[in-house]
Amino acid sequence: MEEFDGEPTVTWIPGVNSQKKQMCFDWGPGEMLVCETSFNKKEKSEMVAGCPFIHIIRKDIDVYSKILRKLFNESHGIFVGLQRIEEELTGKSRKAQLVRVSKNYRSVIRACMEEMHQFAVADKDSAIGRQFSSQVSILSAVELIWNLCEILFIEVAPAGPLLLYLLDWVRLHVCEVDSLSADVLGSENPSKHESFWNLVTTLVLQGRLDEARQMLSKEADSNPTSAGMCRVLGDLMRTMPILSPGNTQTLTELELRWQHWHEECERHLQDGTFASNPHLESLCKVLLGDDAALLEHKELLSNWYHFLVTRLLYSQPTVKPMDLHLYAQSSLDLFLGGESSPEPLDNILMAAFEFDIHQVIKECSIALSNWWFVAHLTDLLDHCKLLQSHNLYFGSNMREFLLLEYASGLFAHHSLWQLGVDYCDHCPELGRVSLELHIERIPLTTEQKALKVLRVCEQRQMTEQVRSICKVLAMKAVRNNRLGSALSWSIRAKDAAFATLVSDRFLRDYCERGCFSDLDLIDNLGPAMMLSDRLTFLGKYREFHRLYGEKCFVDAASLLLSLMTSQIAPRSFWMTLLTDALPLLEQKQVIFSAEQTYELLRCLEDLTSGRPLCGEPDAQQLQDDDIETTKVEILRLALARNLARSIIKEGSLEGS
C-alpha cells in the first residue's frame, strides 16, 4: 500500500470573510494572486462592496532573499559538478568524492548562515533583524540535519568511528562552550569564576577531556585541598579508551579496556574519593554515563541529541549503527520527560537515526519553507544509490519530483531562472517537458533577457518555444514601430504570415516617407526573403532601387517588370511600381523594349479597369481620383512615347 500524505493545512488570508464573499485567484509565474470579489450566487441580490485588499501569495519567497540567492548560486555549481562524476568511479574513490561534495554543500550553508548572522546582529532591534535571526535558526537546523545524514548515509561510519563522527557533529552545532571558555579564561582567577564548573562540566559532556583536564589543573593550583582529587579525576579522563582514527586495535579490545576503565571510575566513586567535592563527584558520575547525573546538567546539554551522544560516549562507545534508534528514542523520552512534545526538528533527526531516508525527506519537505534542502540532499543520496527503489505513486521518482519543484521556484525569479534550466536538464524523465512549460512563462522584459531565453531554447532544439518567443518579440517590436527588429524576429521564427505583415508595414512606410528604414537588414535578407512572397517582393524591390542607384537601368527595368508580371507585387503597390518606371521611360537611351512596354501597358490597363487579378480582392477604382487619373495619363503618354521609340530602334536594328 502506498502511503498518502494528509490534507494540507489551511492558510488563513487576513481581511477575507469567506462566509460572505467569494474568492478568486489567478496563477502568475511562480505565484498566485488572490482577491476578494463581490460575486453573489443570487442574480437579483444587491452587489456587496468587496474587500479593498489584494493578496499575492508567493510560491517560494526565499528566492527573493539576496543572501539566500548566494546559497542558490553556489550550490548550483556543486550540483552540476556532481552530475558529471564519472560512472566508473567505484568503491572508496567514489565514496570519498561524494563525501567531499556533501561537505561542499555544508560549507555553502555555513557561509550563508554566517553572513545572515552578521545582518541579524546589525539590525537586532528591527523586524528585518528578527527575520534574519529566524533565517539563521533555520539554516542552522538545515546544516545540523545535513551533517547527520552525511555521517549516517554517505560516510556510513561503522561502530567505533561512528561515535567520533557524532561527537564532532555535536561539537560543531553546540558551540556556546567556546564563548564561555573565553569568558572564564579571560578572568583574573579562572577557577573562582562563577561559570568555571559549568565550563568544566560542558567540556566533559562534549568529550573534550584534554581541555577539561587543563581546567582542573587550574583548580588544583588555586585550591590545594582538592589537588589530589583533581589529579585522580584528570588521570581517569586521560586514560579513558577511545578508538582514534589511526588506532589499529579491534572493537573487542576497545570494549575490554573500556570495561576495566569504567570499573575503576565506579570504584573511586564507591570509595568516596571525590565525596568532599560535589563538583568532582558529579563529574565522575558523568564519566560513568549515569542517566540521572547527566540529566542534572540538562541546561548545559541544551538538547536531547547532545544528551544522546554524551550518553553513548560514557556508556556505549562502540554502539552499532543499527542500534542507534533505540538509544535515540530513549534519550528523547528521558530528556523531554513528558513535559513537552517533540518539535519538527526532533522528528527529522529521529527519522535519520532510524535510517528512514524517505521519512527524513518527507518531514523536511513539510517543515522547511523552500525545496532547496530536500532537492539537493535527495540528489546526493540518489548518487549514493540509496533511493533507486523508491518511486512516487504519481509517476516520477523522488529525485526528479523534488528537483523540478525546486526549479519551478527558481523560474519565478528574474535571474535565477537560468539555474532552473540546469536542474531540468538533469531530470531525464520529466525535465524536458517541465522546461518547455516554464520557459514559455518567463517574462521577456528586455531584449537581452529574451536573447538568453532564446539561446537556451536553441541549444536544446526547442523549436516551438523558439518560434513562440520570436513571435512575442516581433509583436513587441511592431507595437514600438521598430520594423527592422520585428522583421528580424519574424524571420528567426520562420513565421511567413507575420513576415508578410511586417513587409506590408515597410511598404506602407515607404509610400508615406519615400524611403526605406533599416536598409542594412533589407539588403542582407539573403535566402530569408523566400519565407513569404511579400518578403521576397520587399527584398527584390529594394534591389531594384539599388540597381537604379548604380545606374544599371536595363537590369533595374527588367527586375521591375518581372515583379509585376510574376504577380509577386501586391496589387495595391502597382501604381507605385509604374510610377517608378517613369524615370526609366524618360531616359535618352531606350530602356524598355517594345514587348516590355506592351507588358507595362497591359498592367496599367488591368489596374485602371478595376478587374481583379489572380483573385485578389479590393481592386481600387483609381478613375475617381483626380490625382491618380493624372498619374495614369502621364504614364500612358510616357509608355506611348517609349513604345514608339523602341519600335523605331528595333526596326532600325533589323534593317541594318
Side-chain angles (χ1 to χ4, degrees):
M1 292 291 291
E2 293 283 359
E3 182 183 355
F4 290 89
D5 294 335
E7 291 294 324
T9 57
V10 176
T11 301
W12 295 100
I13 302 175
V16 171
N17 185 346
S18 59
Q19 295 179 350
K20 295 183 179 180
K21 307 287 194 306
Q22 302 292 328
M23 295 299 301
C24 71
F25 67 90
D26 187 26
W27 286 108
E31 57 190 31
M32 182 174 70
L33 174 68
V34 181
C35 61
E36 193 172 14
T37 70
S38 57
F39 173 75
N40 198 312
K41 291 182 178 179
K42 297 180 181 179
E43 296 180 1
K44 296 183 180 180
S45 62
E46 295 182 1
M47 301 295 285
V48 182
C51 175
F53 302 106
I54 293 179
H55 307 276
I56 296 178
I57 300 177
R58 281 181 170 150
K59 185 176 181 180
D60 194 345
I61 190 67
D62 290 336
V63 298
Y64 299 95
S65 167
K66 291 183 179 179
I67 299 175
L68 288 179
R69 208 176 305 164
K70 295 179 181 179
L71 173 68
F72 301 149
N73 277 308
E74 293 292 331
S75 58
H76 164 260
I78 301 172
F79 169 81
V80 173
L82 175 58
Q83 312 312 307
R84 295 172 182 165
I85 287 181
E86 297 180 11
E87 290 299 326
E88 51 268 19
L89 284 176
T90 56
K92 292 183 179 180
S93 61
R94 181 177 179 81
K95 176 183 172 181
Q97 206 163 11
L98 292 171
V99 170
R100 185 164 60 252
V101 169
S102 179
K103 292 183 185 298
N104 288 341
Y105 274 126
R106 288 201 294 115
S107 67
V108 170
I109 297 172
R110 293 199 72 84
C112 185
M113 184 169 59
E114 290 171 6
E115 186 175 355
M116 194 82 75
H117 178 69
Q118 292 174 1
F119 279 94
V121 171
D123 296 325
K124 187 183 299 181
D125 299 326
S126 67
I128 297 176
R130 289 190 292 273
Q131 185 179 352
F132 281 137
S133 296
S134 174
Q135 196 68 56
V136 168
S137 301
I138 294 171
L139 287 174
S140 178
V142 163
E143 209 265 331
L144 175 77
I145 299 165
W146 191 300
N147 195 353
L148 182 59
C149 290
E150 178 185 303
I151 294 169
L152 299 179
F153 303 134
I154 304 171
E155 190 77 56
V156 196
L162 173 62
L163 184 62
L164 298 179
Y165 284 115
L166 291 176
L167 276 172
D168 289 338
W169 174 60
V170 165
R171 292 168 185 169
L172 182 63
H173 296 282
V174 183
C175 50
E176 293 83 358
V177 65
D178 294 321
S179 58
L180 181 62
S181 178
D183 187 29
V184 171
L185 292 174
S187 62
E188 293 182 4
N189 191 348
S191 63
K192 301 299 180 183
H193 194 280
E194 60 180 358
S195 300
F196 175 78
W197 287 109
N198 280 347
L199 173 60
V200 177
T201 305
T202 305
L203 290 171
V204 174
L205 291 173
Q206 288 195 9
R208 297 163 68 167
L209 299 181
D210 289 340
E211 296 173 62
R213 285 172 50 227
Q214 292 174 9
M215 299 303 296
L216 286 178
S217 66
K218 296 183 183 297
E219 167 66 13
D221 292 341
S222 63
N223 190 355
T225 58
S226 61
M229 290 181 287
C230 289
R231 186 176 64 257
V232 172
L233 188 62
D235 287 341
L236 289 175
M237 292 180 183
R238 179 177 55 80
T239 58
M240 178 182 175
I242 297 178
L243 185 63
S244 58
N247 202 330
T248 57
Q249 65 182 327
T250 64
L251 285 180
T252 305
E253 293 172 341
L254 175 67
E255 288 174 351
L256 287 173
R257 289 182 57 208
W258 185 87
Q259 190 63 39
H260 290 307
W261 173 85
H262 190 270
E263 290 172 358
E264 186 179 357
C265 291
E266 193 168 6
R267 181 176 56 79
H268 279 293
L269 187 64
Q270 290 176 354
D271 292 346
T273 305
F274 311 108
S276 61
N277 191 318
H279 294 297
L280 295 176
E281 187 176 37
S282 175
L283 289 174
C284 186
K285 290 180 180 179
V286 169
L287 293 179
L288 284 168
D290 182 68
D291 288 344
L294 290 174
L295 289 173
E296 286 179 5
H297 305 295
K298 192 173 180 178
E299 291 183 0
L300 298 178
L301 288 166
S302 72
N303 51 63
W304 69 269
Y305 48 88
H306 186 186
F307 170 56
L308 164 67
V309 176
T310 304
R311 189 181 174 205
L312 291 174
L313 175 64
Y314 297 118
S315 62
Q316 295 291 334
T318 58
V319 63
K320 295 179 176 62
M322 66 182 68
D323 297 328
L324 263 181
H325 70 282
L326 299 173
Y327 294 102
Q329 187 62 58
S330 62
S331 298
L332 176 62
D333 295 338
L334 284 170
F335 195 83
L336 296 182
E339 298 174 3
S340 59
S341 57
E343 298 289 332
L345 176 61
D346 301 330
N347 295 330
I348 294 168
L349 295 178
M350 186 58 67
F353 283 123
E354 292 172 354
F355 287 86
D356 190 343
I357 298 175
H358 305 115
Q359 188 64 24
V360 171
I361 294 169
K362 179 180 176 180
E363 293 283 351
C364 290
S365 299
I366 296 171
L368 299 177
S369 60
N370 65 69
W371 296 99
W372 179 89
F373 174 78
V374 289
H376 290 85
L377 179 62
T378 303
D379 175 64
L380 182 57
L381 294 176
D382 187 73
H383 279 80
C384 296
K385 312 296 183 186
L386 296 174
L387 297 174
Q388 267 61 28
S389 61
H390 190 77
N391 286 325
L392 304 180
Y393 57 84
F394 40 82
S396 175
N397 63 59
M398 182 181 287
R399 173 188 175 274
E400 279 210 11
F401 173 77
L402 294 173
L403 285 176
L404 293 177
E405 282 296 316
Y406 171 63
S408 68
L410 297 177
F411 276 105
H413 194 267
H414 63 88
S415 63
L416 292 179
W417 66 267
Q418 298 172 83
L419 307 184
V421 172
D422 284 331
Y423 287 95
C424 290
D425 281 346
H426 292 99
C427 293
E429 288 186 31
L430 300 177
R432 171 80 178 203
V433 175
S434 180
L435 179 59
E436 289 174 352
L437 292 174
H438 282 298
I439 210 83
E440 292 176 346
R441 297 179 182 179
I442 296 176
L444 304 177
T445 49
T446 64
E447 191 160 320
Q448 183 181 8
K449 185 176 181 180
L451 287 170
K452 288 181 180 179
V453 177
L454 203 58
R455 195 177 304 116
V456 166
C457 296
E458 288 176 340
Q459 287 171 350
R460 291 156 182 80
Q461 288 82 45
M462 296 165 62
T463 309
E464 288 301 319
Q465 284 68 32
V466 169
R467 187 176 292 114
S468 175
I469 292 168
C470 291
K471 283 182 180 180
V472 171
L473 295 171
M475 186 61 72
K476 282 186 178 181
V478 166
R479 287 172 184 164
N480 295 323
N481 204 33
R482 295 167 53 232
L483 298 182
S485 179
L487 183 58
S488 177
W489 286 120
S490 61
I491 291 171
R492 195 165 181 176
K494 295 181 173 59
D495 188 338
F498 205 86
T500 298
L501 174 67
V502 178
S503 300
D504 282 336
R505 286 285 300 271
F506 264 106
L507 296 173
R508 193 191 315 162
D509 278 9
Y510 171 77
C511 292
E512 293 173 357
R513 297 163 51 191
C515 62
F516 282 113
S517 58
D518 299 286
L519 286 178
D520 287 343
L521 175 64
I522 301 174
D523 285 342
N524 295 283
L525 285 174
M529 73 168 63
M530 304 304 294
L531 183 61
S532 76
D533 287 347
R534 199 59 46 84
L535 187 57
T536 303
F537 169 73
L538 178 64
K540 291 296 182 181
Y541 185 56
R542 168 57 193 156
E543 187 179 346
F544 160 76
H545 279 277
R546 183 177 57 79
L547 290 171
Y548 186 87
E550 294 172 359
K551 296 185 178 180
C552 300
F553 297 135
V554 175
D555 293 337
S558 177
L559 179 57
L560 183 68
L561 185 62
S562 68
L563 289 176
M564 297 187 69
T565 55
S566 63
Q567 300 169 5
I568 291 178
R571 190 179 181 82
S572 58
F573 209 73
W574 277 20
M575 182 53 73
T576 303
L577 293 175
L578 289 168
T579 306
D580 286 335
L582 270 175
L584 296 172
L585 293 169
E586 296 298 330
Q587 291 290 327
K588 293 181 179 180
Q589 177 188 359
V590 177
I591 305 299
F592 290 102
S593 66
E595 184 179 354
Q596 290 176 324
T597 309
Y598 281 125
E599 287 292 336
L600 290 174
L601 280 168
R602 183 183 62 78
C603 291
L604 180 60
E605 291 304 317
D606 286 341
L607 184 63
T608 54
S609 65
R611 294 195 307 271
L613 189 63
C614 291
E616 205 171 314
D618 301 325
Q620 296 181 7
Q621 304 299 324
L622 300 178
Q623 299 92 330
D624 298 333
D625 191 331
D626 291 340
I627 297 176
E628 294 300 324
T629 302
T630 304
K631 283 184 181 179
V632 170
E633 293 302 325
I634 293 173
L635 280 169
R636 281 189 178 134
L637 179 60
L639 287 167
R641 290 171 57 189
N642 188 80
L643 181 60
R645 292 166 60 199
S646 61
I647 290 173
I648 293 171
K649 179 183 177 183
E650 291 170 10
S652 62
L653 288 173
E654 290 176 3
S656 63

